[in-house]
C-alpha cells in the first residue's frame, strides 16, 4: 500500500496525489468499513490495481482527520488566508473580525492579506496592519495586479493546506492564479448569485502551489458569517488576544461586567477597544 492525499473527487472517483504520481481510485468497501465518505484533503492509503504505470488504485484506509471544513467540504485544512481590500470594495472591519472568529473556531492558522495595495496609500495599509499585528496575526500587503507581496503569500503557504476567505471582489481568484498559474480561476465582476450557483454544483479541489509543497483549496470558504452555531460562552476563545481565561476571577467569565475581569482590565492596555467592542457586539449574534 502507498500513502497519498485526495486532491479531487468526481462522481465516486478520487484522484490521489502520491509520491509517484496521481492515481485515480475508487473507494470500494471503505464506506462500509469506516462509515465515512472520502473527502478532498483526506490522507489515505491505497493499493495499486494492475500495473503501476496505469495509475489506478483502491482507497483502503482514510487516516484520521485533523479537521473538516463544511463550506468548502475539505478535510485537513491548516490555514486561512483572509483577503480584504481597503478600497474597491471598501474594507469592512466588522466582517473581517467575523471571518477571523470563524477561522479561529475551525482552529486554522490565520494570515491576513490586504490586497489591491496599488489602490490605496501606505498609511491606510499600516493602520490596518498595526491593528491585526497587535492581535498577533501575520499581515501581508499585496497586489495581485502589480505582483506585490505574492512571494510573501507563497512563503506563508509552504507546507500548508490553505483556504482563501473574504468578500467577493477583493482579488482572491487573482491571487490564486498568481500562485498556481494552471488554476485559471475565473476573475472578474461575476455576480455573487452566479458564483454561489457555481460553487454549489462544483466540488472543491486542492491545487499544488508551485515548488513549495503547499496546497490551496480552489474555492473560497466562509461566505456565510452567521454565528448562530457558536455558543455565547465559546466566543471569547476566538478572540486570540484575550488569551486563556485563567486570569479572570470566574472561569466562566464572559468578560462583560463580572468583577475582577482580567480581559476588561487589559482593554486599552494590550487589547484594542475596537476589538473588545466587536466581541461584545458579536455576543448578541451567538446561539444561546
Ligand atoms: P474575488 O472575487 O475575491 O475572487 O476577486 P477577483 O480575483 O475576481 O478580482 C475582482 C476584481 O479585482 C477583478 O476585476 C480583478 O482584476 C481586480 N483585482 C484583483 N486584484 C487586484 C489588485 O491587486 N489591484 C487592482 N487594482 N485590482 C485587482
Ligand atoms: Zn473576564
Amino acid at each position: 500500500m502507498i500513502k497519498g492525499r485526495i486532491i479531487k473527487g468526481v462522481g465516486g472517483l478520487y484522484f490521489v496525489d502520491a509520491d509517484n504520481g496521481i492515481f485515480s481510485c475508487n473507494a470500494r468497501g471503505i464506506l462500509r468499513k469506516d462509515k465515512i465518505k472520502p473527502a478532498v484533503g483526506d490522507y489515505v492509503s491505497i493499493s495499486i490495481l494492475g500495473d503501476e504505470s496505469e495509475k489506478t488504485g483502491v482507497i483502503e484506509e482514510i487516516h484520521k482527520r485533523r479537521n473538516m471544513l463544511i463550506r468548502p467540504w475539505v478535510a485537513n485544512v491548516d490555514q486561512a488566508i483572509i483577503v480584504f481590500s481597503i478600497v474597491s470594495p471598501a474594507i469592512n472591519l466588522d466582517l473581517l473580525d467575523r471571518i477571523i472568529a470563524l477561522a479561529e473556531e475551525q482552529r486554522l492558522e490565520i494570515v491576513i492579506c490586504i490586497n489591491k495595495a496599488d489602490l490605496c496609500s501606505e498609511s491606510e495599509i499600516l493602520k490596518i496592519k498595526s491593528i491585526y499585528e497587535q492581535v498577533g496575526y501575520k499581515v501581508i500587503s499585496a497586489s495581485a495586479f502589480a505582483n506585490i507581496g505574492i512571494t510573501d503569500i507563497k512563503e506563508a503557504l509552504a507546507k500548508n493546506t490553505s483556504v482563501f476567505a473574504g468578500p467577493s471582489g477583493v482579488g482572491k481568484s487573482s491571487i490564486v492564479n498568481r500562485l498556481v498559474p494552471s488554476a485559471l480561476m475565473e476573475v472578474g465582476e461575476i455576480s455573487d448569485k452566479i458564483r454561489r450557483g457555481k460553487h454549489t454544483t462544483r466540488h472543491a479541489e486542492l491545487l499544488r502551489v508551485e515548488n513549495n509543497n503547499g496546497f490551496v483549496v480552489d474555492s473560497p470558504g466562509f461566505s456565510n458569517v452567521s454565528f448562530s452555531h457558536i455558543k455565547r460562552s465559546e466566543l471569547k476563545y476566538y478572540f486570540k488576544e484575550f488569551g486563556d481565561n485563567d486570569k479572570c476571577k470566574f472561569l466562566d467569565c464572559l468578560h462583560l461586567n463580572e468583577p475582577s475581569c482580567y480581559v476588561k482590565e487589559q482593554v486599552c492596555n494590550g487589547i484594542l477597544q475596537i476589538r473588545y467592542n466587536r466581541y461584545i457586539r458579536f455576543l448578541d449574534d451567538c446561539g444561546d
Side-chain angles (χ1 to χ4, degrees):
M1 280 214 284
I2 59 171
K3 282 188 183 162
R5 189 163 194 206
I6 301 178
I7 54 168
K8 187 178 172 179
V10 182
L13 197 64
Y14 299 93
F15 295 86
V16 176
D17 186 323
D19 280 346
N20 34 354
I22 294 171
F23 289 77
S24 45
C25 301
N26 56 43
R28 184 159 35 88
I30 200 134
L31 279 173
R32 241 171 306 138
K33 211 168 69 199
D34 294 351
K35 294 197 176 67
I36 52 168
K37 196 172 174 319
V40 168
D42 271 331
Y43 292 98
V44 293
S45 294
I46 64 169
S47 53
I48 297 169
L49 283 183
D51 189 77
E52 201 192 306
S53 62
E54 290 168 29
K55 296 277 182 279
T56 54
V58 178
I59 298 174
E60 302 286 356
E61 192 188 341
I62 296 172
H63 298 264
K64 199 172 173 338
R65 290 171 181 162
R66 195 177 84 84
N67 62 10
M68 187 77 213
L69 296 191
I70 305 301
R71 280 187 67 181
W73 199 65
V74 178
N76 302 310
V77 177
D78 306 302
Q79 183 167 257
I81 311 292
I82 303 177
V83 185
F84 272 76
S85 56
I86 291 181
V87 292
S88 181
I91 196 157
N92 175 343
L93 293 184
D94 181 277
L95 182 59
L96 173 54
D97 284 333
R98 279 174 198 271
I99 294 178
I100 289 173
L102 290 178
E104 287 285 359
E105 185 213 359
Q106 302 286 339
R107 296 180 198 285
L108 300 174
E109 289 292 319
I110 292 169
V111 173
I112 295 166
C113 172
I114 304 297
N115 190 42
K116 305 201 184 188
D118 54 303
L119 297 183
C120 63
S121 69
E122 184 83 24
S123 68
E124 287 172 296
I125 297 173
L126 285 179
K127 210 171 83 192
I128 305 297
K129 226 176 169 174
S130 72
I131 296 174
Y132 291 97
E133 284 179 347
Q134 181 169 341
V135 174
Y137 297 123
K138 186 181 178 67
V139 184
I140 297 174
S141 77
S143 169
F145 185 70
N147 206 4
I148 298 168
I150 303 300
T151 323
D152 296 333
I153 299 172
K154 197 165 174 179
E155 210 168 274
L157 298 174
K159 300 196 192 93
N160 287 312
T161 301
S162 307
V163 64
F164 281 77
S168 81
V170 296
K172 298 180 299 296
S173 314
S174 304
I175 293 171
V176 171
N177 285 343
R178 285 263 181 208
L179 299 161
V180 190
S182 59
L184 292 178
M185 284 178 73
E186 275 181 76
V187 169
E189 321 294 331
I190 307 170
S191 85
D192 249 358
K193 207 171 156 194
I194 296 170
R195 258 173 214 260
R196 270 199 299 274
K198 196 179 92 184
H199 283 127
T200 48
T201 52
R202 249 177 95 245
H203 296 289
E205 184 177 342
L206 292 187
L207 305 170
R208 248 190 202 286
V209 182
E210 276 189 329
N211 314 324
N212 76 359
N213 288 325
F215 282 105
V216 295
V217 181
D218 78 332
S219 58
F222 313 102
S223 42
N224 182 353
V225 288
S226 160
F227 278 9
S228 56
H229 63 292
I230 295 178
K231 293 196 180 102
R232 276 169 67 82
S233 58
E234 270 171 22
L235 183 66
K236 60 189 178 189
Y237 301 118
Y238 311 142
F239 278 72
K240 187 183 171 85
E241 66 271 49
F242 292 0
D244 46 23
N245 224 30
D246 52 9
K247 295 198 183 91
C248 294
K249 180 172 178 187
F250 301 109
L251 254 183
D252 60 355
C253 188
L254 283 181
H255 315 319
L256 280 169
N257 298 306
E258 297 91 336
S260 305
C261 170
Y262 183 74
V263 166
K264 262 199 109 166
E265 283 164 18
Q266 296 299 303
V267 174
C268 298
N269 180 26
I271 292 176
L272 291 164
Q273 183 81 52
I274 47 164
R275 287 270 298 169
Y276 177 75
N277 292 351
R278 203 93 68 201
Y279 165 73
I280 303 297
R281 218 171 315 144
F282 291 176
L283 270 182
D284 285 340
D285 297 342
C286 286
D288 51 281

